[in-house]
Each structure stands twice: as C-alpha cells, then as structure tokens.
Amino acid sequence: MTTIWTYVLLVVGFVLLIKGADFFVEGSSGIAKKLKVPSLIIGLTIVAMGTSLPECAVSVAASISGNNALAVSNVVGSNIFNLMVVCGFCAVITPLAVGKRTLKQEFPFSVLMAALLLVLGYIGMSVGRIDGVILLIFFALFMFWMVRSALKARTAGITTDASEEADEIERAKPIPVGLCLVYIVGGAAAIAFGGDMVVDSASAIAAAFGLSQNLIGLTIVAMGTSLPELVTSIVAARKNEVDMALGNVIGSNIFNILFVLGIAAAISPVAFIMENVIDIVILIAMSIMVLLFAWSRQKINRIEGAIMLLSYAGYMVYICMR
C-alpha cells in the first residue's frame, strides 16, 4: 500500500530531474564556451539534449532495474503528449505556423524513426544492445545533419531556430569554470537520483492500485517529464511566439527515440510487450494526422488543435480501459 511519501517522492523526483537537467546543461554549455566551441554547436547538441535528459534518466533507471515496460512507455507516452497536447494546446491558443524544413525533412524523419523502433521492437519483442547501437548511430547521423544544415544556413545568412538559440547562448553571461563543474556534477547527481526516485515511486503506485507499469509510464511519468515543454509552450503561445513550437517538439521526439531508448537499450536490453507495439502504431498514426494538418496550409489552426487534444483524451480513455 502506498503512503503520502510515495507521491511526495514522485514529485521530488520530477523536480530533481527537471532542475538537474537545467543545471547540467548550463554547466556543460559554460565549459563548452570556455573551450571555444561555437555557440551554434552548443545549442544543437548540449542544450537540445537537455530537454530529453529527464526521459533518459527514467528510461535508463527503469531498464537497469528491470522495469522494461516503464522504459519504453515513458518515451512513447512523452512523444504522444508532446505532439498532441503541447502542440494542440498551442494551436488552440494561437494558430501554429510550421516551417518548411520541419514539414519536409524533420517531421517525416521522426515518423520513420518511430517506424524503425516499431520494427526493431517487434522483431524478437525486445530492443537489444545491437538495436540500441543502431538507434545511436541514427542519432549521430541526425546530429551531424542538423549541425551541417545549421552551419550552411548561417553561412547563407538565413535566420533559423538554431541560429537564434546560438545568439542567446552568445549573449549569456559567462560562468566561472569552478561553478560550471559544480553545476555539471550536481546536475548529473540530481538527474540520477531523480530518475531512480521516479521509477521506484511510479512502480510502487502501479503495484498499489493494480495498474500496469506501462499505463503509469504512458500517463503520470510521461506527463511529468514533459512538463517543461508544456509550460514553455503555453508561455510562448500567450506571447504569440510559437512559430518554432512544432519544430522543437519534433526534434525532442526524435531525441527521445534515438538518444533515450538508444542509451537505455545499449546499457540493458529493453523487453517489448504487445501494448508497446500498439502504442507506437498509435504514435505513428497521430504523427501522420498532425503532418497532414500542417501540410494543408503550413499551419495548424484552432479546430485542428482541438481535434488533437480530443484525440489525446480518447487515447487516455483507451489505455485506461484496455
């Protein structure tokens, strides 16, 4: 039976994950700047990976402790939540513009990577160490392509989301090396402890209520690790600054599949259950639906945003009833 402390530990775990990721990224970015690493590269690698660190910590901790259902459902649930709730909510507040590059390159690539995960997981009903290495190779290729494209765009004088991120990093106040190291070590420790606390608490809650770890991973854990993206997007939507919201979500979803599950599987093989397969098929179907919405007028309007939110509500009902 769970106690109030189980829920307190779950919340504390989420706080440690989110704040730990912030400090880790800040410290790593500071060290990279000291080493004269270009701001564009820092923005596309360290800062971009920061949004996926909470999911990574949870999935790796779950994989190591044998809670395989939680490792997969956390990633799939986060991706569905990011796509349908974060983007849907933004579109309801203000129509969501979609960049051409996101529409023609990154979005189709994210669907292909979800399909790759489906194939790797379905064959043998697990994502083994070799599969994890395959995902990480695709991740490295994706990062290379992202950096190369951003550098070419900057050379051509084209303003991109990456170049805007680089300008922000450039303007940031320098942090002393000693403090950077404290941020990195402290952030990494917070991420590690937070991941363990979330996995242990979520598993205890699932056991107490007779719920599957897959369901807990798709709901409570996925929503908790996606809270930063939701809050940031709502604030941006209220300021009418959501031009890059869908692009950021698609990038985060690609990171989650290739980086998070790649790391988790490379460390410890992740078993699949049939529910994981069904959820990935649903993720692919929802991705295609949103892609069609965006393709029609290069934006997602309020009605389409409402449809996305209703689709997610329907999905929640389905996974709770199955």
Side-chain angles (χ1 to χ4, degrees):
M1 188 170 173
T2 58
T3 65
I4 188 68
W5 286 110
T6 307
Y7 299 98
V8 170
L9 287 174
L10 181 66
V11 173
V12 171
F14 282 136
V15 172
L16 285 174
L17 281 175
I18 293 163
K19 295 308 295 179
D22 286 344
F23 280 119
F24 184 84
V25 166
E26 199 168 340
S28 302
S29 298
I31 292 290
K33 283 183 74 174
K34 295 287 184 186
L35 296 173
K36 307 298 183 186
V37 176
S39 298
L40 188 69
I41 308 298
I42 297 171
L44 284 168
T45 54
I46 298 169
V47 176
M49 283 185 211
T51 59
S52 291
L53 282 177
E55 286 90 347
C56 188
V58 170
S59 289
V60 169
S63 179
I64 291 172
S65 63
N67 296 316
N68 290 306
L70 198 58
V72 180
S73 60
N74 167 47
V75 166
V76 177
S78 289
N79 282 14
I80 292 174
F81 184 86
N82 285 343
L83 186 66
M84 305 304 284
V85 177
V86 174
C87 288
F89 208 101
C90 285
V92 168
I93 296 172
T94 180
L96 199 61
V98 185
K100 283 185 179 179
R101 177 175 149 165
T102 298
L103 203 55
K104 295 183 177 179
Q105 297 177 16
E106 291 164 10
F107 209 147
F109 183 74
S110 74
V111 177
L112 283 174
M113 291 305 98
L116 173 65
L117 176 62
L118 177 64
V119 171
L120 292 177
Y122 189 71
I123 296 172
M125 293 305 287
S126 72
V127 179
R129 288 191 173 91
I130 293 174
D131 298 326
V133 171
I134 290 170
L135 292 175
L136 289 173
I137 289 171
F138 272 103
F139 175 70
L141 292 172
F142 173 69
M143 291 306 302
F144 174 77
W145 170 64
M146 285 279 287
V147 171
R148 188 164 170 269
S149 299
L151 290 172
K152 281 175 68 177
R154 171 167 272 198
T155 303
I158 300 169
T159 301
T160 62
D161 193 30
S163 63
E164 288 176 8
E165 179 87 65
D167 291 339
E168 285 182 28
I169 293 168
E170 204 71 57
R171 290 192 297 269
K173 188 178 177 181
I175 305 172
V177 174
L179 189 56
C180 286
L181 294 174
V182 171
Y183 280 179
I184 291 170
V185 174
I191 291 167
F193 283 119
D196 283 338
M197 288 168 74
V198 167
V199 170
D200 292 344
S201 303
S203 300
I205 292 168
F209 288 97
L211 304 172
S212 70
Q213 289 192 6
N214 189 54
L215 177 60
I216 293 293
L218 287 168
T219 52
I220 297 172
V221 178
M223 290 175 189
T225 54
S226 294
L227 277 178
E229 287 94 335
L230 179 61
V231 172
T232 303
S233 297
I234 290 172
V235 170
R238 293 185 69 176
K239 293 179 180 177
N240 202 26
E241 297 172 355
V242 291
D243 289 356
M244 296 297 175
L246 183 62
N248 291 340
V249 163
I250 296 303
S252 178
N253 284 4
I254 293 170
F255 268 61
N256 284 348
I257 290 174
L258 299 182
F259 176 64
V260 175
L261 276 180
I263 292 273
I267 292 173
S268 177
V270 179
F272 255 54
I273 57 175
M274 189 50 66
E275 286 180 354
N276 295 142
V277 174
I278 294 168
D279 292 327
I280 296 172
V281 170
I282 291 171
L283 170 62
I284 294 170
M286 287 178 167
S287 298
I288 292 171
M289 180 182 79
V290 176
L291 180 59
L292 292 174
F293 283 165
W295 200 279
S296 57
R297 288 177 296 277
Q298 236 177 288
K299 69 176 183 179
I300 300 172
N301 60 36
R302 288 186 173 89
I303 294 173
E304 290 165 342
I307 292 171
M308 290 162 66
L309 291 173
L310 288 171
S311 298
Y312 184 79
Y315 172 66
M316 283 292 102
V317 172
Y318 162 67
I319 62 174
C320 288
M321 291 179 65
R322 69 184 178 188

